[in-house]
Amino acid sequence: MVARNSNLAKLPGGYLFPEIGRRRKACQEQNPGARIISLGIGNTTEPLTPHITEALARAAAGLGTAEGYSGYGDEQGFASLRQAIADKLYQGRVGADEVLTSDGAKCDIGRLQLLFGNQVTVAVQDPSYPVYVDGSVIMGASGDFDSASGQYQGIVYMPCLPENQFFPDLGALPRTDLIYFCSPNNPTGAVATREQLAQLVEFALANRSIIIFDSAYSEYIADPSLPRSIFEIEGARRCAVEVSSFSKPVGFTGLRLGWTVCPRDLVFDDGSPVLKDWNRIMTTVFNGASNVVQHGGLAAVDDTGLAEMRRTVAYYMENAALIKRCLEEMGIESHGGVNAPYIWARFPGCKSWDVFARILNEAFVVCTPGSGFGPAGEGFIRFSAFGHRADVVEATERLKKLSF
Ligand code: MLT
């Protein structure tokens, strides 16, 4: 027999979202007549916009012709798409050769963990998107799970709470090799200011750390004073990589298309470029994003596509405003939901999973327990603004009937 990977054995439970799905299913079985509404996983619900749909259909039809057929492409993606992302989404701040497209930000995070290996030390925002921690554990870059603290040994947790404006006290932190940082943040909906990101970059440069910056929700930033990319910050090219995605702004959650920007200036301590090794990883374990989907990505970043993207984002942000208003009427403290599609609600003195269970079993609404994102998420619930308008309205009506 083969010995089990001991790193997987360190994980105390399943991945957060399947666990939520399991509880939803159990609730449905107990209440077969109930119509359960999800404000849980950040899964997009609105149809693709016409311009993108046409581009996808054209590309798919082309594959059925001798002239339009293509097989494997470059692992890094279409040169045209890499150029368009650099020009349209980064205003030329990054080079097309520094953008490698992929099947999504989550998958890129997993491959970055492969790139950096298991000898690195890691810091994460607490709470944070579970892949940063779970993936690091699976790679072997952590010790065991400590059930008393809810933390893995060897991982540095940076508490991000309303009390510190969701930004860690960098002066109190030990040095780590990697710092995962997500803004707009999943799950808290907080967006780091330019000054905060400048502090983070300064901290990383001083410590010779690398920031893995997750900007998957950057299109949700409406306030022009807030940075959408770490590369808007001076010095970031020497200390950061950025992962991002078409999932949330244009609904490619099922289609799968994302990218990572790895600047040429970023080097390991032996002076070798990180980009060279990143390219080696991508060409070895990845075969390029789907060619059809890349045509969809090209449509998403042309002028028509960008205008449609803004409408999709605005739709979900109206949902966010409805959820925030509902919580306010209920007297529940909430954060986020202004430049991000997540609302982070506080239930003082309560356990997140208990609040989750009440909302599920009494209102038939699925949300996400804050503690699933890390110990500092205890006592919070995350509501996602992704959903059909009618469902969001009905969910808020049901929530208002509960009292906490
Ligand atoms: C979430 O709900 O946190 C995300 O949508 C999950 C994901 O993007 O993988």
Side-chain angles (χ1 to χ4, degrees), residues 151-165:
Q151 300 184 350
Y152 287 90
Q153 288 161 1
I155 291 187
V156 173
Y157 289 74
M158 310 184 288
C160 293
L161 294 158
E163 287 67 31
N164 63 1
Q165 286 74 51

Side-chain angles (χ1 to χ4, degrees), residues 34-116:
R35 196 176 77 82
I36 297 178
I37 297 175
S38 177
L39 302 181
I41 188 165
N43 197 4
T44 48
T45 53
E46 298 316 294
L48 296 174
T49 54
H51 183 62
I52 293 175
T53 309
E54 280 158 26
L56 290 166
R58 222 178 10 255
L63 287 178
T65 66
E67 313 73 52
Y69 178 76
S70 63
Y72 292 127
D74 292 340
E75 291 89 346
Q76 302 83 352
F78 293 173
S80 53
L81 179 59
R82 300 169 73 195
Q83 188 69 54
I85 291 171
D87 292 347
K88 298 289 185 72
L89 302 182
Y90 291 89
Q91 291 76 41
R93 276 191 195 92
V94 305
D97 59 316
E98 299 172 320
V99 178
L100 273 67
T101 62
S102 73
D103 53 350
K106 184 187 192 183
C107 319
D108 272 357
I109 290 162
R111 287 182 290 257
L112 284 167
Q113 288 163 340
L114 185 61
L115 166 73
F116 290 112

